Amino acid sequence: RMVISCLKPHTVTALFFTLDSHKEEPLEQPIEENQMGREKLLKNYVHNEELLKLISSNIDSIQEFLDLTLDRAIRFTDSKDGYLFFYDEPTEKFTVFSWVLDGIRGIPKKEIQYFLKDTGFWGEVIRQRKPIIDNNFSAPDPLKKGVPQGHLELKNYLSIPVFDNNKIVAVVGVENKNGDYDDDDVLSLYLLMNNAWSFVERKRSEELLRKEKDLFKTILLSVGDGILATDAMGKITVMNEVAQQL
């Protein structure tokens, strides 16, 4: 069996001959596709490493965590700008939580809210309940109402809804990628945001539990009877003033 390789632009062709049959079996494999595949695998590996570091970090603040999450959403999709809004389905209201414009993070002085009925194109992610991609934002569209005053030129745009128990709880959008947005960008955002929202829900549960414990402790300390509480080892954890005097 003999192998003869012939190089053509962007293609490797290998011709296989079996001496007794003289059959030719061409096999072509595009070099560019192989290179793109390797780059995609490397990119996914880097993204997964960053995601793992993020969700395993010791961050207590939801604001800080979601600011870092948005930074990664922008970086993972090779974008320049982005935003993350909370959304409440019953009231159809957006609450601005984090945004980056031209590399600068916005810091709201007060809570900023929008209603779905007042939104244009960027509200379609809620109305259609699916990712929205527009790689030519300057193209006319009846749903587009332009951009806010002072906003940079918008070349392209990607937004996804974040679901929790089939309810949309947030939206994340990225803008001005150097190239077109595609399904890989959508997948990257979903993977990032699904993990991020799990963190948010856990932190909210921890905060609610802490408040309930504080309230319970306040009630115990204020009653007129002597009350004390112990842990599983019998160690006193709470004792009100009346119990201390007994």
Side-chain angles (χ1 to χ4, degrees):
R1 187 180 176 87
M2 297 175 57
V3 178
I4 301 177
S5 297
C6 176
L7 292 177
K8 297 191 299 183
H10 313 306
T11 306
V12 175
T13 301
L15 302 180
F16 296 89
F17 295 95
T18 303
L19 295 179
D20 56 350
S21 63
H22 303 288
K23 291 183 179 180
E24 182 178 307
E25 303 171 7
L27 176 65
E28 297 192 354
Q29 193 170 15
I31 293 176
E32 287 184 348
E33 288 186 7
N34 277 348
Q35 180 64 24
M36 290 174 62
R38 287 193 292 268
E39 291 176 354
K40 183 178 178 179
L41 286 174
L42 179 59
K43 185 177 181 180
N44 289 340
Y45 174 79
V46 172
H47 289 180
N48 289 336
E49 284 286 298
E50 287 203 40
L51 178 57
L52 181 61
K53 290 179 182 178
L54 179 64
I55 61 179
S56 60
S57 60
N58 295 320
I59 300 175
D60 290 326
S61 166
I62 292 178
Q63 180 71 61
E64 180 183 359
F65 180 83
L66 288 182
D67 284 344
L68 293 173
T69 298
L70 180 59
D71 290 343
R72 281 156 178 77
I74 293 171
R75 188 160 66 249
F76 287 4
T77 57
D78 299 319
S79 303
K80 293 182 179 179
D81 312 311
Y83 61 83
L84 195 160
F85 296 167
F86 287 162
Y87 183 70
D88 181 63
E89 283 198 348
T91 61
E92 297 189 333
K93 184 167 58 179
F94 297 89
T95 300
V96 177
F97 197 81
S98 182
W99 80 90
V100 173
L101 185 62
D102 196 25
I104 301 174
R105 182 175 307 286
I107 303 176
K109 297 180 180 179
K110 61 179 181 179
E111 188 174 69
I112 303 174
Q113 296 182 330
Y114 300 97
F115 287 95
L116 179 62
K117 64 181 180 63
D118 299 323
T119 65
F121 185 76
W122 65 272
E124 287 303 300
V125 68
I126 299 294
R127 298 184 187 100
Q128 299 186 35
R129 302 179 69 85
K130 67 178 185 179
I132 299 294
I133 293 178
D134 189 335
N135 281 313
N136 184 15
F137 201 83
S138 61
D141 190 305
L143 296 174
K144 295 175 182 176
K145 299 181 179 180
V147 296
Q149 186 176 2
H151 196 289
L152 299 177
E153 178 187 4
L154 194 56
K155 298 177 181 178
N156 49 17
Y157 168 86
L158 162 63
S159 181
I160 67 163
V162 181
F163 288 90
D164 184 22
N165 292 326
N166 204 36
K167 289 184 178 181
I168 299 177
V169 292
V171 296
V172 61
V174 288
E175 306 166 352
N176 292 331
K177 177 180 179 177
N178 187 21
D180 287 347
Y181 289 110
D182 55 26
D183 290 341
D184 287 340
D185 295 317
V186 172
L187 184 60
S188 292
L189 287 187
Y190 267 126
L191 180 62
L192 175 65
M193 291 310 303
N194 286 343
N195 281 279
W197 196 255
S198 296
F199 173 93
V200 171
E201 287 298 285
R202 188 174 73 251
K203 287 299 179 182
R204 283 178 170 175
S205 297
E206 291 173 357
E207 179 66 15
L208 180 60
L209 180 61
R210 185 189 65 78
K211 289 181 178 179
E212 289 178 346
K213 286 183 176 179
D214 289 345
L215 177 60
F216 179 67
K217 185 176 181 179
T218 299
I219 293 174
L220 285 180
L221 294 176
S222 64
V223 297
D225 296 327
I227 295 178
L228 60 83
T230 63
D231 60 18
M233 302 300 293
K235 181 181 178 181
I236 296 175
T237 56
V238 177
M239 177 184 293
N240 68 358
E241 186 175 351
V242 176
Q244 294 176 20
Q245 295 175 356
L246 295 177

